[in-house]
């Protein structure tokens, strides 16, 4: 069976978003173009890492170009996207690995999110071989979402993604652990329940 690649070159919309209540949210990347939508699930930490790496890579592109690259220093406010994910959110796959690159010829950020794959091996050497084969198998590898964005779109994506990550449960002022709507057992209060 050949690899399924969901490819979006300058999509109409590419965002990180959530489904569910704070503390029980599921995180997604969602790309939309020409009436089709692809949603892939991932962890909150993956969303945060992706947003931070995008900003770092864009900053490096600006630095190396001497400020001549078509990349804004900050996300333009007119491109701010605060809308929820497009419904229905149907998960194509759960993300395992992600990759970023800057295509200097086309002046585009390339983001790849590949499906999580369970590898079985008896030894660490067997596992390393299986991982290497998987990375080299472009035709039969796991499903992948590949998105190409302008520098402006990438900067806007990163801004929204960090806002989504930080929009969860507020931290306890004493211990910094997340507060639940039902209250919070704070270790700094010796286990006494602290109401939100």
């Amino acid at each position: 069976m050949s690899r399924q690649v969901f490819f979006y070159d300058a999509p109409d919309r590419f965002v990180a978003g959530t489904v569910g209540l704070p503390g029980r949210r599921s995180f997604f990347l969602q790309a939309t173009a020409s009436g089709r939508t692809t949603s892939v699930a991932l962890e909150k930490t993956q969303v945060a890492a992706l947003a931070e790496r995008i900003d770092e890579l864009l900053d490096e592109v600006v630095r190396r170009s001497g400020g001549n690259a078509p990349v804004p220093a900050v996300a333009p406010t007119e491109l701010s996207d605060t809308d929820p994910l497009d419904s229905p959110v149907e998960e194509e796959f759960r993300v395992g690995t992600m990759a970023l690159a800057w295509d200097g010829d086309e002046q585009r950020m390339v983001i790849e999110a590949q499906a999580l794959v369970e590898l079985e091996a008896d030894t660490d050497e067997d596992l390393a071989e299986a991982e290497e084969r998987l990375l080299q198998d472009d035709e039969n590898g796991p499903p992948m979402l590949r998105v190409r964005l302008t520098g402006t779109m990438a900067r806007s994506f990163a801004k929204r993604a960090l806002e989504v990550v930080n929009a969860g449960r507020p931290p306890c002022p004493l211990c910094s652990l997340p507060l639940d709507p039902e209250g919070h057992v704070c270790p700094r209060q010796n286990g006494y329940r602290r109401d939100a």
Side-chain angles (χ1 to χ4, degrees):
M1 184 167 142
S2 64
R3 169 182 239 172
Q4 188 173 16
V5 177
F6 302 92
F7 181 60
Y8 290 83
D9 192 1
D12 299 332
R13 184 175 192 225
F14 180 61
V15 294
T18 61
V19 173
L21 298 172
R24 294 175 182 82
R25 298 184 298 169
S26 296
F27 288 79
F28 292 90
L29 296 179
Q30 190 177 74
T32 305
S34 304
R36 70 184 176 111
T37 300
T38 303
S39 303
V40 297
L42 69 170
E43 298 298 321
K44 178 180 180 178
T45 54
Q46 289 175 298
V47 174
L50 178 61
E52 290 166 3
R53 289 295 297 136
I54 286 173
D55 272 339
E56 289 171 5
L57 182 55
L58 292 174
D59 290 345
E60 183 65 15
V61 167
V62 170
R63 187 187 69 73
R64 286 189 181 190
S65 72
N68 294 324
V71 177
V74 296
T77 56
E78 65 271 9
L79 293 182
S80 180
D81 182 347
T82 58
D83 292 338
L85 295 172
D86 294 332
S87 293
V89 177
E90 296 175 358
E91 177 183 324
E92 295 293 339
F93 59 84
R94 177 158 289 283
V95 175
T97 60
M98 294 183 290
L100 289 177
W102 179 258
D103 180 347
D105 295 335
E106 298 289 323
Q107 299 292 300
R108 295 279 192 264
M109 168 77 66
V110 180
I111 301 169
E112 292 181 349
Q114 185 171 284
L116 181 64
V117 177
E118 298 287 331
L119 296 176
E120 293 182 22
D122 295 329
T123 66
D124 288 343
E125 291 173 358
D126 291 343
L127 184 60
E129 284 180 27
E131 288 174 344
E132 186 64 31
R133 278 194 311 273
L134 186 65
L135 290 173
Q136 293 176 354
D137 192 358
D138 286 338
E139 290 184 16
N140 300 312
M144 177 193 308
L145 171 65
R146 179 179 293 140
V147 182
R148 293 171 47 87
L149 305 171
T150 64
T152 304
M153 288 178 74
R155 196 65 93 176
S156 295
F157 169 84
K159 181 179 185 283
R160 175 188 164 123
L162 288 174
E163 289 170 352
V164 165
V165 166
N166 293 326
R169 298 172 288 171
C172 172
L174 298 175
C175 69
S176 298
L177 293 174
L179 289 171
D180 289 320
E182 309 80 51
H184 167 68
V185 178
C186 180
R188 300 226 20 224
Q189 292 273 325
N190 233 5
Y192 288 99
R193 186 171 197 82
R194 176 179 172 82
D195 292 327

